[in-house]
Amino acid sequence: MGKPTGFKEIERQDRTYAPVADRLTHYNEFAIPLTDEQVSMQGARCMDCGIPFCHQGCPVDNLIPDWNDLVYQKDWRAAIEVLHSTNNFPEFTGRICPAPCEAACTLNIDDAPVTIKNIELSIVEKAWAEGWIQPQIAPHKTGKRVAVVGSGPAGMAAAQQLARAGHSVSVYEKQDGVGGLLRYGIPDFKLSKQVIKRRMGQMKAEGVKFHVNTHIGSEGFPTQRLIDDFDAVVLAGGAEKPRDLPIPGRELGGVHFAMDFLRANSKVVQDVPDSGEKLISATGKNVVVIGGGDTGSDCIGTSNRHGAASVTQIEILDRPPEKEDKGLTWPDWPNKLRTSTSQEEGCERMWNVTTKEFLGDDDGNLRALKCALVRWDKDDQGRWKMSEVEGSEFELKAELVTLAMGFVHPVHEGMLADLGVALDGRGNVQGSTEGSDAYKTSIDGVFGAGDMRRGQSLVVWAIREGRQCARAVDEYLMGMTSLPR
């Protein structure tokens, strides 16, 4: 529980960031970590809640008060053991998770939650530096073969757990690098790819085999091979079908899906040879990002590093309140105004804006957006309805637009269609998370986890699902399992 009076005596102190003018000149991570002593003092702020609501906020079930206390006691090695007992990749979540645990922290009632996310990251980075993170090689092999399709956090978590259970695990990734969206979708300035590579090294030593440039369902790897060659299959390919904006002018040059923009840039930054991806440059252009989430923020940070003339982010929803009503929201994740580090680097943010048309020049390239203001009102049934504000149309100059409006479901063409796996009402791979059918699809021996099963979500949910799916697969193959839930 840390120090009993720590939350009264010690001010909240989180990591800081390099100045904007400095970090815009490169694609390296720019967070400035606290010292071990400072982190230890932050761990001391964790109070004896009685009911640790941070557990409610953490999808991966981190034992947060336990490792907070261990950091306060300066027992860092025990802290990483406790942390790893629930989370295979705290170096991922410590960087890119939005920290719903901190929103649920009891100290967040007065806006000073324990710096859980930073403590988590500090633990795992110290463990790597000290050499405490070593391969956990299964003492006995089962002789069972498992294929994991997709190398994002769900696939990686499932693969690592299954390898530690003694199974022979092969991970298949259609891109030329492991990590899923962590590799090319999240910019290097938020997540250095060395972080993925060192964890891959551990997993390879544990027996996981990674196969990149392997697109299941293509001529090079027919889907039926999964069924023929493996005892079990985990579908963890993510929800990659982007939400489109089918309005007049969509075909104009300069209108791109956000992930195409980010992936091409990341491959250039990471110096991927012969990637076949052409850089989509924002240099000198007026950029409009459609969508107010994390992917949109990544487009902002990338555009500013290109040297965009201007960056504007538009959102169709209302502007969130500056501060939530804790009496109504705590300990749940609140709807409130948040400003990312990329937004701090420079962009204009606009709310209640809908895009009606993309306007082009004589050469077929984008020159502007025709937009209008909208309002949201409740109907007689209490449902929110959008309406356009009469006479509110305006043009927004732009030579580059990135569509960052989220993802609707997994790509159905290819592997999923070949398997004939059942889909739920939202187009995701159908499967529950409880009982004897946990993570099972409609095909015997085929399981689904992460965004491919639950839809677009957070990295922490992906890791949770990968771990739980691995337990279900192990029990399916062996009739029992010792893997943690």
Side-chain angles (χ1 to χ4, degrees):
M1 60 165 281
K3 186 179 181 182
T5 57
F7 70 98
K8 293 182 177 182
E9 300 169 7
I10 303 167
E11 294 290 325
R12 173 183 164 92
Q13 183 182 13
D14 210 343
R15 60 182 181 173
T16 56
Y17 301 101
V20 170
D22 172 42
R23 67 199 201 214
L24 284 180
T25 64
H26 59 77
Y27 286 89
N28 301 322
E29 291 185 11
F30 51 80
I32 302 172
L34 302 181
T35 66
D36 287 356
E37 183 62 31
Q38 288 172 322
V39 175
S40 179
M41 287 298 97
Q42 291 304 299
R45 297 186 68 247
C46 187
M47 61 191 294
D48 188 5
C49 296
I51 298 175
F53 286 96
C54 55
H55 286 183
Q56 175 179 322
C58 180
V60 83
D61 299 322
N62 275 334
L63 303 174
I64 296 166
D66 300 64
W67 41 258
N68 279 341
D69 179 61
L70 289 167
V71 167
Y72 169 54
Q73 303 295 341
K74 297 184 173 59
D75 192 348
W76 294 84
R77 186 152 195 170
I80 189 60
E81 296 297 327
V82 174
L83 181 52
H84 269 153
S85 71
T86 58
N87 186 351
N88 294 64
F89 314 120
E91 62 269 41
F92 300 164
T93 53
R95 284 174 166 83
I96 62 174
C97 179
C101 53
E102 292 189 21
C105 176
T106 302
L107 290 177
N108 189 41
I109 292 175
D110 61 359
D111 298 314
V114 175
T115 53
I116 299 169
K117 178 178 174 179
N118 187 52
I119 294 172
E120 174 184 42
L121 181 59
S122 299
I123 293 170
V124 69
E125 288 301 322
K126 185 172 181 65
W128 280 111
E130 297 290 339
W132 298 334
I133 299 177
Q134 296 294 327
Q136 299 179 30
I137 301 171
H140 305 287
K141 297 295 184 181
T142 65
K144 301 292 186 180
R145 304 184 69 222
V146 182
V148 177
V149 182
S151 69
M156 289 182 71
Q160 185 165 59
Q161 293 296 96
L162 288 166
R164 290 174 176 178
H167 306 304
S168 176
V169 182
S170 294
V171 177
Y172 293 97
E173 170 57 52
K174 68 180 180 180
Q175 289 291 335
D176 49 27
V178 168
L181 290 185
L182 300 180
R183 170 67 68 170
Y184 295 130
I186 295 177
D188 290 54
F189 57 79
K190 284 177 63 176
L191 177 69
S192 167
K193 305 320 166 193
Q194 181 59 34
V195 172
I196 302 173
K197 291 178 182 178
R198 68 184 179 189
R199 190 60 81 168
M200 280 180 60
Q202 181 198 35
M203 293 176 66
K204 287 179 179 179
E206 293 170 345
V208 177
K209 295 180 174 63
F210 292 98
H211 305 270
V212 296
N213 293 313
T214 306
H215 194 170
I216 308 298
S218 65
E219 291 185 5
F221 198 118
T223 305
Q224 187 60 36
R225 277 183 59 186
L226 293 176
I227 307 299
D228 295 341
D229 295 354
F230 294 92
D231 300 294
V233 177
V234 175
L235 304 179
E240 291 190 309
K241 186 73 171 179
R243 182 172 284 106
D244 205 347
L245 189 58
I247 59 175
R250 173 64 179 86
E251 76 287 351
L252 290 170
V255 182
H256 301 274
F257 284 120
M259 206 49 60
D260 293 339
F261 173 66
L262 294 172
R263 183 176 58 249
N265 182 77
S266 291
K267 289 195 174 186
V268 171
V269 170
Q270 296 168 37
D271 198 23
V272 178
D274 304 320
S275 70
E277 299 271 0
K278 183 179 179 181
L279 178 68
I280 302 170
S281 176
T283 305
K285 295 178 181 178
N286 296 287
V287 178
V288 174
V289 178
I290 302 179
D294 289 337
T295 301
S297 284
D298 294 341
C299 291
I300 293 167
T302 301
S303 296
N304 280 325
R305 281 162 178 76
H306 281 195
S310 70
V311 182
T312 304
Q313 184 178 35
I314 61 177
E315 169 63 68
I316 200 168
L317 298 175
D318 293 332
R319 179 186 173 103
E322 295 282 344
K323 180 176 170 55
E324 73 274 31
D325 184 340
K326 295 291 174 63
L328 294 176
T329 63
W330 180 86
D332 297 324
W333 182 253
N335 176 37
K336 71 173 186 177
L337 183 65
R338 295 177 173 86
T339 301
S340 70
T341 54
S342 290
Q343 289 164 337
E344 289 174 348
E345 291 166 0
C347 77
E348 181 181 357
R349 303 168 72 181
M350 303 174 68
W351 286 268
N352 296 105
V353 175
T354 185
T355 306
K356 302 179 69 174
E357 185 178 355
F358 297 117
L359 305 175
D361 59 21
D362 293 338
D363 295 325
N365 294 315
L366 179 72
R367 66 170 180 83
L369 284 67
K370 181 190 286 186
C371 301
L373 299 179
V374 299
R375 58 180 292 172
W376 294 87
D377 300 290
K378 287 187 177 180
D379 63 15
D380 295 338
Q381 285 74 44
R383 295 171 298 192
W384 288 103
K385 295 290 185 179
M386 184 188 78
S387 60
E388 184 177 326
V389 177
E390 187 176 353
S392 66
E393 284 191 1
F394 64 95
E395 286 191 12
L396 194 58
K397 185 179 180 181
E399 295 83 41
L400 173 63
V401 163
T402 60
L403 304 177
M405 302 175 295
F407 302 87
V408 291
H409 52 63
V411 173
H412 296 158
E413 296 79 14
M415 180 183 69
L416 295 185
D418 294 344
L419 288 171
V421 64
L423 305 175
D424 65 17
R426 296 180 299 152
N428 302 314
V429 173
Q430 191 174 71
S432 68
T433 60
E434 302 295 335
S436 59
D437 291 331
Y439 295 95
K440 291 181 179 179
T441 71
S442 59
I443 310 296
D444 183 50
V446 179
F447 297 74
D451 289 5
M452 185 165 267
R453 190 206 67 82
R454 68 177 288 114
Q456 177 186 345
S457 192
L458 303 176
V459 62
V460 70
W461 274 108
I463 294 171
R464 171 198 174 106
E465 294 224 344
R467 287 172 60 88
Q468 291 188 346
C469 183
R471 178 182 170 88
V473 171
D474 189 36
E475 189 169 16
Y476 168 82
L477 292 174
M478 307 305 294
M480 60 172 292
T481 182
S482 60
L483 287 176
R485 190 175 187 279

